[in-house]
Amino acid sequence: MKKILFLSLFFYVWTTQQLVSYAINIDEGQSNVFYVKTNSAPVYDESGAVLGVIHKNQAYFYMVKTETCYYIEVENHLGCVSTASVVEGSTTFVEEKLERTGEMIYTTDFTQLTDLDGHVLYTSQPNRRHYAVAEDDTYYYVKLAGRTALLQKVNTALDKGIPVLMYHHIVGPHDGRQSLTSAMITEAQFASNVRALQEVGAQAITMDELHAFLQGEKNLGKNAVVITFDDGLKSNIVYAYPLLQQAKMKATNFVITSRVPTTTQPFDPHKLQSISQEEIAWSTDVFNYEGHTHQLHSQEEGSSLVVLQSRKSLKDDLLISQSIVPQHYFAYPFGQFNEATKQILTETGYRLAFTTKHGYVKYGDNSYELKRIAIEPTTTEEQFRQYISY
């Protein structure tokens, strides 16, 4: 027992001496600085996955601490460092407050981030998104635990954004259709898409997770993808739901609430039927249901009723839709909107809104003008894999 106590004391004294030798003073009263006890310590996200590693002989400023975690700024939000791995202290470094004026990048390999003197601050996993606040010819500068960290450009790539995939109606093998419109794909094509997502290790995230990322409140790896369906069609439940459930993938369904029946209707593959309230209730393990208006999903002379309405009429419609299906996210019918539309969405509590414009969702985008990637019957497997590649 004495030997164990002696070794423990020796280890503590040795660790303290190592830190002091690096011009660092240990001060248990310091409230927001810590050091790694051993050579390194992992940094975890909220799921327990390792984001990267911090290193000894460096001062790290933490945002908040709990019994189990010290939370530091890393990537686009916070990461957890186990309290068992660190010791609090003080430092001559001043915590830096860097403005977000740059762009998102991602690591292409295991990559060391250094301080301004070349000492290793952090080792990042590959395919992790970091927010660059500045750059020069050789480095990107990122925020890390209250410090400026240098990330070599040779080990990074510019982040093209998160693919938000847009689907509508799915046609089964025995539905008898001779041709497909741009808003339809076959069950076989959708199954192929799901397999491709699995093969590249895609992480199908929820709207809440996307919103948190865009707010700088969540870290996301480069493999994040969002799956969306417009119109709330029953074919999504019949064909897409079991495939997504088996693949353990989440998706968002933007429903037209005036078309949602209370009870489940028998499936008729020759009709465009809507998901029922009963089906909404039991399918939330895969789908989260969001807004696509109550009864404004139509056009007059090519213009969406959404942009033709008075402010009051549009607001009333959205409030009715929210009373039927609680919702915080919106897809514009036919992709049409104007400044008044965006303002009313803000007033009624919507956090994000999606267009039909082709492209990726990037950090810093207007929250009410987000792009998507339409998957159509003419979308080849090669094109789809390019959309989701990282």
Side-chain angles (χ1 to χ4, degrees):
M1 184 65 178
K2 290 182 179 180
K3 183 177 181 181
I4 294 174
L5 290 173
F6 173 78
L7 289 174
S8 298
L9 179 62
F10 174 82
F11 176 77
Y12 175 80
V13 171
W14 179 85
T15 302
T16 302
Q17 288 175 340
Q18 295 302 307
L19 296 175
V20 171
S21 70
Y22 200 69
I24 295 170
N25 295 318
I26 293 300
D27 177 7
E28 294 296 339
Q30 184 70 23
S31 62
N32 68 330
V33 176
F34 70 76
Y35 303 91
V36 179
K37 289 180 180 178
T38 54
N39 286 332
S40 62
V43 182
Y44 303 95
D45 68 10
E46 58 267 41
S47 72
V50 176
L51 301 174
V53 175
I54 57 174
H55 298 274
K56 68 177 181 180
N57 297 336
Q58 286 285 7
Y60 298 95
F61 294 87
Y62 62 88
M63 302 292 287
V64 67
K65 68 176 179 179
T66 66
E67 289 185 3
T68 57
C69 285
Y70 284 81
Y71 289 95
I72 63 171
E73 286 182 291
V74 64
E75 297 187 4
N76 191 44
H77 184 40
L78 300 178
C80 163
V81 181
S82 171
T83 55
S85 303
V86 303
V87 59
E88 292 197 23
S90 63
T91 180
T92 56
F93 291 121
V94 176
E95 185 174 4
E96 299 177 67
K97 302 294 185 182
L98 303 176
E99 296 297 324
R100 283 178 169 262
T101 56
E103 57 191 334
M104 198 70 69
I105 57 176
Y106 69 94
T107 53
T108 55
D109 203 343
F110 285 95
T111 305
Q112 290 186 333
L113 284 68
T114 65
D115 64 17
L116 300 178
D117 295 321
H119 302 114
V120 179
L121 269 175
Y122 182 73
T123 301
S124 174
Q125 297 268 7
N127 295 319
R128 298 305 310 180
R129 286 182 161 97
H130 295 263
Y131 189 83
V133 297
E135 63 178 294
D136 58 29
D137 291 341
T138 306
Y139 297 101
Y140 286 112
Y141 296 79
V142 305
K143 297 168 66 175
L144 179 73
R147 307 278 301 280
T148 298
L150 277 62
L151 177 55
Q152 285 194 341
K153 285 186 170 182
V154 70
N155 295 323
T156 67
L158 287 175
D159 180 21
K160 68 180 180 182
I162 297 172
V164 179
L165 308 176
M166 178 175 64
Y167 297 94
H168 288 79
H169 184 48
I170 297 180
V171 177
H174 306 296
D175 288 6
R177 291 184 181 270
Q178 300 301 310
S179 61
L180 301 176
T181 70
S182 62
M184 302 177 181
I185 66 167
T186 64
E187 180 192 25
Q189 183 179 356
F190 185 73
S192 175
N193 289 174
V194 172
R195 285 195 299 272
L197 289 166
Q198 290 177 298
E199 288 171 9
V200 301
Q203 178 192 8
I205 63 173
T206 65
M207 281 292 156
D208 284 343
E209 290 176 305
L210 178 64
H211 177 252
F213 170 76
L214 295 176
Q215 292 293 111
E217 297 172 354
K218 183 175 178 60
N219 296 321
L220 286 178
K222 192 63 179 63
N223 60 343
V225 64
V226 181
I227 302 170
T228 69
F229 294 81
D230 283 9
D231 303 341
L233 296 169
K234 188 179 180 74
S235 66
N236 304 161
I237 285 286
V238 174
Y239 298 121
Y241 173 84
L243 291 169
L244 292 170
Q245 185 188 50
Q246 185 176 23
K248 295 181 172 56
M249 292 183 178
K250 300 289 187 178
T252 296
N253 212 308
F254 295 106
V255 297
I256 306 164
T257 50
S258 64
R259 302 179 187 179
V260 176
T262 302
T263 58
T264 301
Q265 307 298 309
F267 179 53
D268 185 343
H270 305 293
K271 295 180 180 179
L272 287 179
Q273 298 169 284
S274 293
I275 295 172
S276 69
Q277 290 183 3
E278 290 179 343
E279 288 165 321
I280 287 174
W282 62 251
S283 61
T284 54
D285 60 324
V286 168
F287 289 120
N288 64 283
Y289 291 92
E290 301 297 340
H292 206 36
T293 75
H294 180 60
Q295 53 183 10
L296 298 179
H297 194 282
S298 58
Q299 293 177 300
E300 291 182 4
E301 298 181 352
S303 294
S304 167
L305 291 186
V306 167
V307 299
L308 297 176
Q309 296 301 298
S310 68
R311 292 176 62 91
K312 183 180 185 306
S313 295
L314 176 55
K315 191 170 187 176
D316 287 346
D317 181 273
L318 296 177
L319 291 174
I320 292 171
S321 184
Q322 291 174 341
S323 71
I324 297 170
V325 175
Q327 55 199 253
H328 297 291
Y329 307 101
F330 188 78
Y332 299 108
F334 313 103
Q336 296 181 22
F337 64 95
N338 54 30
E339 290 303 313
T341 310
K342 295 192 294 182
Q343 180 61 38
I344 293 168
L345 289 176
T346 303
E347 293 173 3
T348 49
Y350 289 96
R351 299 167 182 167
L352 303 175
F354 295 84
T355 71
T356 56
K357 293 179 181 178
H358 181 88
Y360 297 81
V361 171
K362 299 182 68 175
Y363 188 91
D365 284 351
N366 187 309
S367 296
Y368 298 93
E369 298 182 18
L370 299 177
K371 299 175 182 178
R372 289 189 287 174
I373 299 171
I375 307 302
E376 302 178 345
T378 55
T379 304
T380 66
E381 183 171 349
E382 181 180 0
Q383 287 175 317
F384 183 81
R385 288 180 178 272
Q386 288 176 346
Y387 292 149
I388 63 172
S389 66
Y390 59 91

